Amino acid sequence: MDEFTFENTVTLTESQYLAVWGVLTKRPRMIRLVGLTAVGVLLLFTKVTLLLGLLVLGLVGVILFAPRLLSFGALSSFRGHKYLREALIYGVNDHKLWVKGAQIDASVPWSALVTWRETEGWLVLSPSGIPPLYLSLGHLKNEGLYGRVRALAASNAPEFNRSTRGTS
């Protein structure tokens, strides 16, 4: 098989970073929250269901405010790493992965890949020893390299948040 090289230059925004690394990225549907709030309020009108109503309304509060509270860690991580706010070149070839920028120039072999995942239009490769790589799924597919890069990732590390058969 021919050797390949793929690079893309990325300047991540806060919102992109939070979409990739935020704990709760999916927002609940407003209609469900309104319905749940209405049920909680109705349960407040009798002594028997008052506690249940308070619990339901407390759950609505957690659903509304948890994404802001939980994304604080990812946001502070983005703001704390100066190189993330710059244009970075993320690249891969048959042998290694790399990140290059004004303040960073690092590479590791594919064997250093710890985990990978596809999210928010990115193939995110998380190796040991260098920052995660953000490869645009659209660019990979346009260049016909998506299958090869994904196969290399899958052969070197497990997909993030997927259990492997036979492990406990």
Side-chain angles (χ1 to χ4, degrees), residues 4 12 26 34 41 56 74 82 106 108 121 131 144 153 158:
F4 73 92
L12 285 175
K26 304 285 187 226
V34 169
V41 169
V56 169
K82 293 178 184 177
V108 293

Side-chain angles (χ1 to χ4, degrees), residues 60-146:
V60 169
V62 167
I63 290 170
L64 286 174
F65 295 108
R68 288 186 203 118
L69 296 173
L70 293 174
S71 66
F72 177 76
L75 189 57
S76 68
S77 177
F78 178 81
R79 290 178 179 164
H81 292 90
K82 293 178 184 177
Y83 66 86
L84 284 175
R85 296 187 299 271
E86 302 172 351
L88 294 174
I89 299 169
Y90 297 102
V92 294
N93 64 23
D94 291 288
H95 309 289
K96 65 180 181 175
L97 313 117
W98 64 86
V99 179
K100 293 181 183 176
Q103 299 183 41
I104 188 169
D105 186 356
S107 67
V108 293
W110 274 99
S111 60
L113 187 64
V114 176
T115 188
W116 62 275
R117 67 182 171 143
E118 293 180 19
T119 183
E120 302 293 326
W122 302 102
L123 175 60
V124 181
L125 305 174
S126 299
S128 177
I130 68 171
L133 283 76
Y134 303 90
L135 305 178
S136 166
L137 288 172
H139 288 99
L140 280 169
K141 289 176 182 176
N142 287 342
E143 293 192 26
L145 295 172
Y146 169 75

Side-chain angles (χ1 to χ4, degrees), residues 6-95:
F6 174 81
E7 287 187 333
N8 64 181
T9 302
V10 178
T11 304
L12 285 175
T13 63
E14 275 188 7
S15 59
Q16 286 174 316
Y17 189 82
L18 285 177
V20 171
W21 296 108
V23 177
L24 299 175
T25 57
K26 304 285 187 226
R27 299 293 292 165
R29 293 185 186 244
M30 191 55 70
I31 223 160
R32 289 183 187 162
L33 283 177
V34 169
L36 199 55
T37 302
V39 168
V41 169
L42 288 174
L43 291 172
L44 295 176
F45 289 114
T46 67
K47 289 181 182 180
V48 176
T49 60
L50 178 66
L51 184 58
L52 185 58
L54 290 172
L55 287 173
V56 169
L57 291 175
L59 176 66
V60 169
V62 167
I63 290 170
L64 286 174
F65 295 108
R68 288 186 203 118
L69 296 173
L70 293 174
S71 66
F72 177 76
L75 189 57
S76 68
S77 177
F78 178 81
R79 290 178 179 164
H81 292 90
K82 293 178 184 177
Y83 66 86
L84 284 175
R85 296 187 299 271
E86 302 172 351
L88 294 174
I89 299 169
Y90 297 102
V92 294
N93 64 23
D94 291 288
H95 309 289

